[in-house]
Amino acid sequence: MKLSANKATLSFSNGKPNIDLPVYEGTVGPDVIDIRKLYGQSGMFTYDPGFLSTASCQSAITYIDGDKGELLYRGYPIEQLATQCDFMETCHLLLYGNLPNAKAKADFTKRVTNHTMVSEQMQFFLRGFRRDAHPMAIMTGLVGALSAFYHDSTDINNPEHRDISALRLIAKMPTLVAMAYKYSIGQPYMYPQNNLSYAGNFMRMMFATPCDDYKVNPVIERAMDRIFILHADHEQNASTSTVRLCGSSGTNPFAAIAAGVACLWGPAHGGANEACLNMLGEIQKMGGIEKVGHFMEQVKDKNSGVKLMGFGHRVYKNYDPRAKLMQETCKEVLGALGLEKDPLFKLAMALEKIALEDDYFVSRKLYPNVDFYSGIVQRAIGIPVNMFTGVFALARTVGWIAQLNEMISDPEYKIGRPRQLFTGSVKRDVLPIAKR
Ligand code: SDX
């Protein structure tokens, strides 16, 4: 980051001396006011719950321009990556900062492929769960449990450990997600097949059985791969910030990623695709498009607590570019499967049209986000609704790792430890219980 010629000066109306704060510039996007010395110089903290105006770090990985609806991974527009590259190239880009040439891509893919199996012991870990456990409950457990199996790659401060644990996590997430699914439906696990693509291997582990193999449909395989690309990273979102904060204590990479899985599960974050599809199903049950107006009234009524899931975003105040690409993928997949008339897709398109013309949404700059269409395309592929967030976690693992490794490699990083504005009781003495 570059020191700006501009400077910020904080003045106080109570006569306390002014404080000069340096301003730093990035390569693109808002400058930052460096407040690291503020407490030492003023005895005061800044206050920003939800971090609406706070940069927690400097990063060179992903950039979002929320006003333009622009998303860049290491400078490359998501539209180009999603149409000209595959997920393995995107992983290489996010982890190492450049798109691989053919040889580097083949080497990287081979290294990932060779780590797709998990320890056989994992099956016994799964058996501890109820069959109807939510797959994200299982995933939170399984990912954390990886730190019990790979003691040779748990030192986050060792670059070799960081490299091998990155490959292990990227390679094993599809296997673990598929195992969580198979466990929930009482089917045997399918082992990875090294001759399949990353996306094709995942789909086979999800849908094949020992009695019936699964033939990967190239259109669906490409769609799955694109879903992974679109979900791979997204600046300092809640789960990435969780991974950074967790990793800042020096814990092992598997534990830090497990924390990210747990955070992503929430319906305001990665759980929104599952919530969105359930919402569309509810509207369909109520009567479909005719009932959209009634549903929108509920959304606008603050007391209802009803939100239009898959809409709105902390950063995008324009259309989420991923939502556009996901809508196109929806059309491709539904077309390939002869499901063009999928009622939920038609309902989603109608809902989007109505929302984008409604002042409630327009005035609040609420647009579809990545979760609005992703559920429809995953459902068309055959992925059950309660697995959607697991797929999101699978794809986001590479982004979490890239961000974690960037933090650990930053000589300036410290353990994250925010302060607070205390509004509780001042010091008081305990009274004996007889006098309370
Ligand atoms: C992801 O951060 C990331 O990058 C996340 C993500 C990633 O890739 O990592 O992009 C993935 O999490 C996408 C978001 C998925 N979540 C949803 O679709 C759930 C529905 N969306 C909302 O919960 C909400 O929009 C958030 C959580 C996404 C953003 O919340 P903010 O920025 O805190 O905005 P807000 O809640 O303060 O909303 C501003 C206004 C409020 O109304 P007013 O108080 O100003 O009157 O907009 C309203 C909100 O009530 N609003 C909505 C709404 N989202 C915001 N009203 C109805 N439906 C919605 N979906």
Side-chain angles (χ1 to χ4, degrees), residues 150-356:
Y150 300 106
H151 297 118
D152 62 340
S153 63
T154 52
D155 176 1
I156 203 163
N157 294 303
N158 178 328
E160 274 136 48
H161 283 213
R162 287 205 296 273
D163 187 46
I164 182 71
S165 57
L167 291 167
R168 280 175 164 151
L169 279 157
I170 292 166
K172 296 178 194 308
M173 282 300 273
T175 311
L176 295 176
V177 171
M179 287 174 79
Y181 173 56
K182 288 296 196 187
Y183 182 74
S184 72
I185 57 173
Q187 282 188 1
Y189 309 120
M190 298 304 291
Y191 285 96
Q193 290 284 301
N194 289 356
N195 61 336
L196 295 175
S197 72
Y198 189 86
N201 189 28
F202 171 63
M203 291 164 65
R204 183 182 167 281
M205 290 190 288
M206 285 284 287
F207 302 125
T209 70
C211 327
D212 235 349
D213 212 346
Y214 172 83
K215 186 142 179 38
V216 183
N217 171 333
V219 174
I220 311 296
E221 182 181 21
R222 180 68 190 125
M224 194 78 253
D225 188 85
R226 184 177 294 174
I227 288 171
F228 294 157
I229 292 173
L230 294 178
H231 287 84
D233 194 49
H234 214 239
E235 281 191 4
Q236 306 312 316
N237 58 83
S239 54
T240 298
S241 299
T242 300
V243 169
R244 278 180 173 258
L245 190 56
C246 184
S248 73
S249 72
T251 191
N252 72 78
F254 304 104
I257 300 303
V261 174
C263 175
L264 187 75
W265 189 2
H269 190 13
N273 50 20
E274 176 178 356
C276 180
L277 209 90
N278 291 336
M279 172 192 75
L280 291 171
E282 284 308 307
I283 298 171
Q284 194 65 9
K285 261 191 255 163
M286 282 182 340
I289 293 178
E290 294 70 50
K291 287 292 178 188
V292 166
H294 169 69
F295 178 77
M296 285 307 205
E297 287 319 305
Q298 284 182 299
V299 169
K300 292 185 242 178
D301 168 10
K302 289 270 180 247
N303 304 320
S304 74
V306 175
K307 283 195 183 277
L308 184 56
M309 301 311 280
F311 258 71
H313 200 276
R314 173 61 55 77
V315 178
Y316 288 121
K317 300 309 169 193
N318 197 326
Y319 211 103
D320 182 336
R322 303 169 298 174
K324 269 200 194 90
L325 288 157
M326 200 64 86
Q327 188 188 78
E328 284 160 30
T329 306
C330 250
K331 286 177 185 157
E332 281 167 29
V333 169
L334 294 173
L337 298 173
L339 299 171
E340 294 87 343
K341 295 199 176 12
D342 178 346
L344 285 193
F345 183 56
K346 289 162 73 78
L347 176 60
M349 300 272 278
L351 208 49
E352 174 190 332
K353 186 173 179 312
I354 292 167
L356 295 184

Side-chain angles (χ1 to χ4, degrees), residues 2 18 23 26 47 65 83 90 100-101 147 196 200 250 281 305 321 324 341 346 358 385 395 419:
K2 190 179 104 200
N18 289 358
V23 172
Y47 183 66
D65 183 322
T83 50
T90 305
N101 59 28
S147 43
L196 295 175
K324 269 200 194 90
K341 295 199 176 12
K346 289 162 73 78
D358 184 303
V385 179
R419 303 301 301 273

